[in-house]
Amino acid sequence: MVGDVVRLSGTSYIKAQANTEANAEAVGIVSAVADADNFTLQVSGRITGLSGLTAGSVYYLDDDTAGLLTLTEPPDIGDVSKPLLIADTTTSGWIFNMRGFINADAGATGATGPTGATGATGAAGSAGATGPTGATGSAGATGTTGATGVTGATGPTGATGPTGATGIDGATGPTGATGATGSGATGATGATGPTGPGATTERLPIFGMGTSPDATGEAYFEPYSILATNDVWRRLIGRFGSSNVAQPTVRAGIYGGFVVPRDYVGSAVIVIVWTATLTSGNVVWDFEYRTVSGDDTTSLDQAGTEESVTVTDAAPGAANRRLEVTINLTSGNFAADEEVEFFFARDGADGADTMAGSAILFELLFQYSKV
């Protein structure tokens, strides 16, 4: 019936179910039924004729009833979490046949590495007279002491004041006068301990569930197998340019958003991983965005952009070779926990865009430095 999710079992189509990895390998959703033996299967794009949907909601393959879509993500260990549809009305939605993930227990945390050795302590100068001692609090565990350098001669010690009774965290008495410094040579400096970890680079995927195409019809999602030579890897890709034999003439792209990670410290970069079946010409990529922060202080419905950047990259040297190109962003525009709204596009209207065919987007990443 219309709305059933099906998979291929040998030479027959049967209802898919998210209770095992094999049963969850859905190929599409039934969009029309001619008779008992013939139906229309839709594998991507916008599907209509459904019922009972909630606009704006994500629907998953059901783990309990074969062929059904559900708002509830399968929760049990061994089930497959497989998003398939984003509803845009109560009777229609966009098919996104995304890769399923098998629910599994989290692994245990690895053991903490050992602490590096402490450098040696230099020679101490002579101590002045000790004031009355306050009550001593409980002491923490003492770490391992490094080797002590040669100690210079100790100057005369001032008179020791009377020791007060040891109570609970008494106030510290005044410090006595400092005695004269000895004339002996200062001991050798101990070896320097190892340097702590420096800044590292992270990459955050921002292309996928939270992205949607514009209204031009020149940017959309489809399985990679449609343009690939080998009909094997069917992951969802972004296609920019509806014809693979003609130059696009409009600027077309996708909208999306993400949250800046809490460990962000700077060096903001957009990384574009793409390919094409053509081997000549250039593609112009645009990225524009706006950041929003605060709690009940700033509107998420912004009218303008904070920054617009672009990069031009050449077609691959051979069909379907992986390409990676980066766009540097203004790092000071970003802060931890900020919401980022963006539009990523291929500018076919730019004279520098000369590749006469579709550009295939595999990954869009937000790269940054953390400590």
Side-chain angles (χ1 to χ4, degrees):
M1 62 182 293
V2 173
D4 281 348
V5 182
V6 299
R7 66 184 182 88
L8 189 59
S9 175
T11 60
S12 301
Y13 288 94
I14 64 173
K15 295 179 181 181
Q17 187 174 352
N19 59 344
T20 68
E21 181 178 4
N23 290 346
E25 288 296 335
V27 295
I29 301 175
V30 176
S31 60
V33 177
D35 52 46
D37 297 318
N38 295 277
F39 63 90
T40 301
L41 178 63
Q42 188 163 339
V43 299
S44 64
R46 189 170 185 267
I47 185 171
T48 60
L50 308 180
S51 63
L53 302 178
T54 300
S57 297
V58 178
Y59 284 81
Y60 300 82
L61 180 61
D62 199 296
D63 59 327
D64 294 323
T65 304
L68 290 188
L69 292 168
T70 177
L71 284 169
T72 304
E73 183 175 6
D76 299 328
I77 302 302
D79 284 351
V80 179
S81 174
K82 188 173 181 67
L84 281 172
L85 182 86
I86 299 177
D88 59 357
T89 71
T90 58
T91 60
S92 64
W94 290 90
I95 298 175
F96 297 93
N97 194 350
M98 299 189 179
R99 178 180 180 182
F101 291 91
I102 301 174
N103 295 337
D105 290 327
T109 302
T112 302
T115 302
T118 303
T121 304
S126 57
T130 304
T133 304
T136 304
S138 57
T142 303
T144 306
T145 302
T148 303
V150 179
T151 304
T154 304
T157 303
T160 303
T163 303
T166 303
I168 301 173
D169 294 332
T172 302
T175 303
T178 303
T181 303
S183 58
T186 303
T189 303
T192 303
T195 303
T200 59
T201 299
E202 290 287 343
R203 286 183 169 185
L204 174 70
I206 60 175
F207 167 60
M209 195 66 187
T211 51
S212 61
D214 64 11
T216 62
E218 290 292 321
Y220 50 89
F221 307 114
E222 68 179 21
Y224 178 46
S225 56
I226 293 177
L227 288 177
T229 301
N230 300 309
D231 188 15
V232 177
W233 309 113
R234 303 185 180 186
R235 62 171 292 176
L236 202 66
I237 53 91
R239 181 168 175 173
F240 294 77
S242 60
S243 172
N244 203 32
V245 294
Q247 167 70 32
T249 59
V250 298
R251 184 172 184 256
I254 58 175
Y255 294 93
F258 63 95
V259 176
V260 179
R262 289 195 170 183
D263 55 3
Y264 171 85
V265 295
S267 301
V269 175
I270 290 298
V271 181
I272 306 163
V273 180
W274 71 287
T275 191
T277 60
L278 283 75
T279 58
S280 63
N282 297 325
V283 170
V284 177
W285 295 111
D286 293 344
F287 186 83
E288 55 189 42
Y289 67 91
R290 185 173 187 90
T291 60
V292 181
S293 61
D295 181 11
D296 199 15
T297 58
T298 308
S299 173
L300 288 165
D301 186 14
Q302 296 288 335
T305 60
E306 192 167 348
E307 184 177 29
S308 297
V309 288
T310 187
V311 68
T312 301
D313 199 20
N320 294 302
R321 280 186 180 173
R322 183 184 186 274
L323 298 174
E324 181 174 311
V325 63
T326 60
I327 307 178
N328 292 325
L329 306 178
T330 302
S331 298
N333 289 347
F334 300 91
D337 289 336
E338 282 189 330
E339 184 76 23
V340 181
E341 299 169 333
F342 70 83
F343 179 64
F344 174 74
R346 177 186 178 184
D347 193 353
D350 191 310
D353 191 308
T354 57
M355 191 181 78
S358 301
I360 304 169
L361 178 67
F362 271 73
E363 295 288 352
L364 192 62
L365 307 166
F366 177 69
Q367 178 178 295
Y368 64 95
S369 294
K370 71 171 188 176
V371 176

